[in-house]
């Protein structure tokens, strides 16, 4: 992408800039690697004799040749005017990554074997995982180096960007003029000027990168006099910034003021009497609270003493009651014994009377028999 290109032109402008937007080229290079992995996986699915790695070399050459050929065919058809390619031209120049993805999808579809067309496989998690794993393997083995992929992506980009939106079409008659132009070209590669940042990008993205660069030094968001890197701004504002809002140290006693911590001494000095009043009020309330607690404690101790005395009286009453009940029970037991004695006496008398009745009956029967005999 940085090499000086010499092309023969009818107007004598033989040296063409052809620098491209580096961010777009990088994105297209990533799409190329994914396209290679996808085509390699889909073309060997279910094949016990082939693996994605075994076909990757040939697939890479086929993919690059196919994309370059298709992009040139697209340009030729657009120039010839045989078909209306206005929408595709706009997409190619404004959304080149999507345009490239469409071309790759067509290539991948042509390489799928029978098993890859089985319903559900193309959207299955297994397939996606295989593609992801193979991409990682290609990256680890440096199979298709980033610079080679970016060169291929640049070639494709220059072919499809007919509106010259994302690459430079300028031509010059001498190499010196081309070199001079490239020092100012909006697509020249520049490095971030912020200390600590290693990012590089096309010059047309300077403002975009600067707006998000974590190493950009900015004025404090809380308007203190310090300048802080964007990545340190949150920590600065939340901790050491002199303009950080803090509560008054006497907040707990009544002062609800909030102010930048740099004016803490001034605040405390100006509101000294007010703070003393807050402390006095707090002390008064505290003393009243202590007195109230002491009174409550005294009442509790008194109540406890009464409860203990009441408990003692209750114990004596219970003891006396128990003794009275024991005496009654003993008296009842004695009365019961007397009644039992009387009952036994009555039983004895009853038995004696019963015997006498029997004797009297026998006597009467004898008398009656004697009377009948006469």
């Amino acid at each position: 992408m940085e090499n000086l290109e010499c092309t023969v032109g009818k107007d004598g402008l033989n040296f063409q800039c052809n620098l491209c937007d580096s961010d777009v080229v990088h994105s297209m290079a990533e799409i190329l690697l994914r396209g290679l992995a996808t085509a390699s996986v889909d073309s060997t699915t279910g094949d016990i004799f082939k693996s994605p790695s075994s076909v990757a070399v040939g697939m890479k050459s086929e993919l690059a040749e196919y994309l370059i050929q298709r992009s040139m065919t697209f340009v030729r058809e657009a120039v010839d005017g045989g078909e209306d390619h206005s929408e595709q031209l706009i997409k190619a120049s404004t959304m080149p990554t999507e345009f490239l993805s469409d071309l790759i999808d067509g290539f991948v579809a042509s390489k799928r074997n029978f098993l890859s067309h089985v319903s559900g496989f193309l959207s299955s998690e297994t397939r996606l995982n295989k593609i992801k794993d193979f991409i990682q393997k290609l990256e680890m083995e440096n199979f298709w180096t980033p610079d080679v992929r970016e060169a291929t992506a640049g070639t494709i980009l220059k072919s499809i960007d007919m509106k010259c939106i994302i690459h430079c079409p300028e031509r010059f008659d001498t190499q010196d003029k081309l070199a001079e132009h490239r020092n100012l070209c909006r697509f020249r590669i520049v490095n971030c000027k912020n200390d600590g940042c290693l990012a590089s990008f096309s010059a047309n993205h300077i403002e975009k990168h600067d707006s998000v660069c974590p190493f950009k030094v900015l004025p404090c968001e809380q308007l203190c006099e310090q300048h802080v890197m964007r990545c340190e701004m949150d920590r600065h504002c939340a901790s050491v910034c002199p303009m950080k809002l803090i509560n008054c140290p006497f907040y707990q006693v009544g002062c609800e003021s909030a102010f930048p911590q740099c004016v803490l001494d001034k605040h405390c000095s100006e509101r000294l009497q007010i703070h003393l009043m807050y402390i006095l009020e707090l002390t008064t309330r505290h003393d009243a609270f202590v007195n109230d607690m002491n009174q409550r404690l005294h009442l509790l101790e008194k109540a406890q003493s009464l409860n203990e005395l009441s408990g003692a009286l209750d114990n004596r009453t219970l003891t006396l009651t128990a003794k009275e009940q024991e005496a009654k029970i003993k008296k009842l037991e004695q009365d019961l014994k007397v009644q039992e004695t009387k009952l036994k006496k009555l039983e004895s008398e009853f038995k004696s009377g019963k015997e006498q009745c029997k004797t009297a009956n026998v006597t009467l029967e004898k008398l009656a028999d004697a009377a009948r005999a006469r």
Side-chain angles (χ1 to χ4, degrees):
M1 210 167 61
E2 288 294 337
N3 295 331
L4 299 178
E5 296 188 14
C6 180
T7 58
V8 178
K10 295 180 180 180
D11 52 5
L13 303 178
N14 300 327
F15 295 92
Q16 185 173 358
C17 178
N18 272 338
L19 288 179
C20 301
D21 188 313
S22 61
D23 287 355
V24 176
V25 170
H26 177 73
S27 297
M28 293 176 68
E30 294 298 314
I31 294 172
L32 287 175
L33 186 63
R34 181 171 184 82
L36 172 62
T38 303
S40 299
V41 169
D42 285 357
S43 66
T44 57
T45 298
D47 193 329
I48 61 175
F49 301 105
K50 294 181 181 179
S51 66
S53 297
S54 67
V55 301
V57 175
M59 195 68 70
K60 178 179 70 172
S61 300
E62 287 186 50
L63 176 60
E65 182 179 351
Y66 173 86
L67 293 175
I68 294 174
Q69 192 67 35
R70 285 290 293 120
S71 61
M72 289 181 176
T73 302
F74 164 74
V75 172
R76 187 164 52 250
E77 291 175 352
V79 172
D80 292 343
E83 298 181 18
D84 183 10
H85 293 283
S86 57
E87 292 185 3
Q88 287 183 304
L89 285 173
I90 294 174
K91 185 175 184 178
S93 294
T94 58
M95 296 182 289
T97 54
E98 293 187 16
F99 185 83
L100 178 63
S101 294
D102 292 342
L103 294 181
I104 290 177
D105 288 343
F107 176 79
V108 172
S110 69
K111 295 298 179 182
R112 291 186 184 123
N113 61 19
F114 173 76
L115 291 177
S116 295
H117 289 279
V118 175
S119 177
F121 174 77
L122 295 179
S123 60
S124 68
E125 186 175 350
T126 301
R127 172 179 177 266
L128 297 178
N129 288 336
K130 285 183 177 180
I131 293 172
K132 181 180 178 181
D133 293 342
F134 193 51
I135 289 174
Q136 293 179 348
K137 182 178 180 180
L138 293 175
E139 289 177 335
M140 291 177 60
E141 295 177 354
N142 208 19
F143 178 81
W144 198 359
T145 58
D147 57 335
V148 176
R149 280 187 282 124
E150 288 182 2
T152 303
T155 301
I156 298 171
L157 183 60
K158 294 165 194 173
S159 297
I160 64 177
D161 183 26
M162 296 185 65
K163 294 184 176 295
C164 301
I165 296 176
I166 45 185
H167 89 288
C168 180
E170 296 293 333
R171 293 173 177 271
F172 303 90
D173 56 357
T174 66
Q175 184 171 321
D176 291 339
K177 289 182 180 179
L178 174 59
E180 182 180 351
H181 161 78
R182 282 197 165 183
N183 289 330
L184 302 173
C185 180
R186 64 193 179 106
F187 295 114
R188 71 188 186 277
I189 299 298
V190 296
N191 296 320
C192 179
K193 295 182 179 180
N194 297 320
D195 290 340
C197 183
L198 303 177
S200 58
F201 39 81
S202 295
N204 60 321
H205 290 305
I206 290 178
E207 292 184 2
K208 177 183 176 182
H209 173 79
D210 206 51
S211 66
V212 296
C213 178
F215 296 93
K216 174 74 173 178
V217 176
L218 301 169
C220 173
E221 293 178 353
Q222 296 180 153
L223 305 181
C224 79
E225 297 179 354
Q226 298 183 31
H227 286 67
V228 187
M229 286 192 299
R230 181 178 279 114
C231 61
E232 294 289 334
M233 186 65 71
D234 290 344
R235 186 192 66 80
H236 167 80
C237 292
S239 57
V240 298
C241 178
M243 296 300 291
K244 172 191 174 184
L245 289 179
I246 60 172
N247 290 324
C248 175
F250 297 93
Y251 179 85
Q252 297 295 334
V253 299
C255 183
E256 298 181 355
S257 300
F259 43 81
Q261 60 182 352
C262 61
V263 299
L264 172 61
D265 293 341
K266 179 181 178 182
H267 170 82
C268 291
S269 176
E270 292 177 349
R271 298 178 66 87
L272 176 61
Q273 292 184 349
I274 296 176
H275 291 161
L276 290 175
M277 288 296 296
Y278 284 137
I279 294 174
L280 180 61
E281 290 177 3
L282 179 64
T283 303
T284 302
R285 290 196 300 270
H286 180 266
D287 291 343
F289 175 78
V290 171
N291 291 334
D292 181 61
M293 290 297 102
N294 286 333
Q295 292 179 5
R296 290 172 181 267
L297 179 61
H298 177 70
L299 291 174
L300 288 173
E301 291 175 346
K302 185 176 181 180
Q304 185 177 3
S305 298
L306 291 174
N307 287 335
E308 291 176 354
L309 178 61
S310 176
L313 293 174
D314 289 342
N315 289 335
R316 292 182 60 188
T317 302
L318 288 173
T319 302
L320 292 174
T321 301
K323 288 182 178 179
E324 290 177 357
Q325 294 300 323
E326 288 179 358
K328 290 180 180 180
I329 290 171
K330 287 181 179 180
K331 186 174 182 305
L332 288 173
E333 289 177 347
Q334 291 175 356
D335 292 343
L336 181 60
K337 288 181 179 180
V338 171
Q339 294 299 326
E340 287 178 350
T341 301
K342 289 182 178 180
L343 181 60
K344 288 180 179 180
K345 184 178 178 181
L346 288 173
E347 288 179 351
S348 176
E349 291 176 353
F350 177 75
K351 288 180 179 180
S352 175
K354 188 176 181 180
E355 292 294 331
Q356 291 177 0
C357 287
K358 286 182 178 181
T359 303
N361 288 332
V362 171
T363 303
L364 289 173
E365 289 178 355
K366 287 179 178 183
L367 290 174
D369 291 338
R372 284 193 295 268
R374 291 178 182 177

